[in-house]
């Protein structure tokens, strides 16, 4: 299937590892010119080399922290007119009510909700003028099925999800789509950290903690980052122009709700 996005420009946030890198690989495979971003120079260059090896296309690299105004300015200076924007960022660790101070809430809201919203605001006008645009925000399955230990992350991400839904209807007639991907239990460094955390709290072997997490997934396995990347690439494709304002659950069937 030809996705019809060869030669398009994609800015992918937090893409030196994990799900962001997976999206960069999938989009580069489809012939998209990719800008990847990260805070660690060595990891960023390693990701660029890996992407080139896998796809034959060397991505542009932007060393910046998109959670800051300076970082957002840097990525927009490097790629001022993207056709595709993938908003992605790591989430805070699970926590307890007594740990979530006003400062903690302010920091996470700024990073996980306000920062991606400002990036979307910066590029959406150009997308509308050009008659094509794709925005994909990678949030979390917790947006639809909140679990209290993850509330510090879920609250701001839910706010971002609501913004994306509201904006999607405003820009659809201009050829711009906005969708969210809601992953759960995908094989990344973050999942490994969560597994170790569960093992520590439950005082069980990490292998047993991993087996317990897998047992909660109807598919009987963790998700692969490439599956998230390929879903992102499809949502960014010309073929997905009638899909907008949606929250795509990637969880191996774990979500038990109807809608």
């Amino acid at each position: 299937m030809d996705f019809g996005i060869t030669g398009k420009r994609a800015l992918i946030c937090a893409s030196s590892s994990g799900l962001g890198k997976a999206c960069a690989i999938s989009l580069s495979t489809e012939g998209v010119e990719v800008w990847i971003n990260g805070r660690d120079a060595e990891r960023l260059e390693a990701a660029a080399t890996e992407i080139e090896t896998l796809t034959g296309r060397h991505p542009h690299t932007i060393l910046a922290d998109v959670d800051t105004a300076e970082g957002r300015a840097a990525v927009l200076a490097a790629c001022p007119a993207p056709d595709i924007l993938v908003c992605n960022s790591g989430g805070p660790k699970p926590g307890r009510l007594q740990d979530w101070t006003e400062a903690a809430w302010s920091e996470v809201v700024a990073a996980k909700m306000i920062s991606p919203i400002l990036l979307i605001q910066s590029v959406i006008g150009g997308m509308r003028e050009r008659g094509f645009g794709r925005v994909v925000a990678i949030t979390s399955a917790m947006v639809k099925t909140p679990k209290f230990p993850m509330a510090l992350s879920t609250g701001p991400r839910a706010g971002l999800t609501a913004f994306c839904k509201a904006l999607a209807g405003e820009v659809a007639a201009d050829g711009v789509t906005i969708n969210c991907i809601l992953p759960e239990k995908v094989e990344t460094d973050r999942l490994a950290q969560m597994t170790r955390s569960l093992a520590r709290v439950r005082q069980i072997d990490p292998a047993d903690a991993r087996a317990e997490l897998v047992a909660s997934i109807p598919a009987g396995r963790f998700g692969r980052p490439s599956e998230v990347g390929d879903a992102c690439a499809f949502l960014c494709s010309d073929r997905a122009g009638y899909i907008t304002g949606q929250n795509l659950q990637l969880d191996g069937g774990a979500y038990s709700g109807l809608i």
Side-chain angles (χ1 to χ4, degrees), residues 1-10 26-34 57 83-84 132 233 236-238:
M1 181 184 294
D2 181 4
F3 278 9
I5 49 176
T6 298
K8 298 294 187 183
R9 301 176 298 276
S26 294
L27 286 167
S28 185
T29 299
E30 294 301 320
V32 175
E33 186 177 4
V34 166
R57 297 172 179 273
D83 303 297
I84 295 165
F132 180 93
C236 294
S237 74
D238 188 54

Side-chain angles (χ1 to χ4, degrees), residues 3-252:
F3 278 9
I5 49 176
T6 298
K8 298 294 187 183
R9 301 176 298 276
L11 173 59
I12 307 165
C13 301
S15 43
S16 61
S17 63
L19 300 184
K21 183 174 73 173
C23 292
I25 291 169
S26 294
L27 286 167
S28 185
T29 299
E30 294 301 320
V32 175
E33 186 177 4
V34 166
W35 279 256
I36 62 172
N37 151 253
R39 297 176 297 182
D40 183 287
E42 185 175 344
R43 179 180 290 185
L44 187 61
E45 290 305 321
T49 299
E50 180 182 355
I51 292 167
E52 183 175 23
T53 299
L54 292 172
T55 72
R57 297 172 179 273
H58 189 80
H60 307 273
T61 59
I62 315 165
L63 185 64
D65 180 357
V66 293
D67 290 347
T68 67
E70 295 80 9
R72 291 190 296 274
V75 297
L76 292 171
C79 184
D83 303 297
I84 295 165
L85 172 66
V86 179
C87 295
N88 177 53
S89 66
K93 295 179 181 178
R96 303 173 300 170
L97 184 63
Q98 58 266 35
D99 297 329
W100 297 331
T101 63
E102 181 177 353
W105 279 110
S106 295
E107 180 180 347
V108 175
V109 168
K112 310 308 171 191
M113 185 178 78
I114 297 176
S115 178
I117 286 175
L118 291 174
L119 279 172
I120 294 169
Q121 286 182 255
S122 296
V123 303
I124 202 76
M127 291 178 175
R128 299 180 79 175
E129 289 173 4
R130 293 189 297 274
F132 180 93
R134 299 288 185 265
V135 175
V136 174
I138 301 176
T139 60
S140 167
M142 297 296 105
V143 169
K144 291 181 74 172
T145 52
K147 300 294 190 332
F148 191 75
M150 299 301 297
L152 187 65
S153 171
T154 304
R157 293 191 192 280
L160 172 62
T161 303
F163 171 81
C164 288
K165 177 65 175 178
L167 183 59
E170 294 295 308
V171 301
D174 299 315
V176 179
T177 68
I178 304 175
N179 293 289
C180 295
I181 288 177
L182 282 57
E184 184 176 14
K185 295 186 178 69
V186 179
E187 195 81 75
T188 61
D189 290 343
R190 180 168 173 80
L191 180 64
Q193 293 169 1
M194 300 286 283
T195 304
R196 291 193 294 268
S197 176
L198 176 63
R200 189 164 51 249
V201 170
R202 296 280 302 280
Q203 296 184 326
I204 59 177
D205 187 84
D208 292 332
R210 181 180 174 89
E212 184 176 317
L213 290 173
V214 169
S216 69
I217 308 169
R221 64 173 176 85
F222 291 138
R224 293 184 288 270
S226 62
E227 292 171 315
V228 177
D230 289 346
C232 177
F234 177 73
L235 289 175
C236 294
S237 74
D238 188 54
R239 305 238 175 197
Y242 204 54
I243 302 173
T244 193
Q246 301 303 306
N247 297 306
L248 177 62
Q249 202 97 6
L250 292 176
D251 61 3

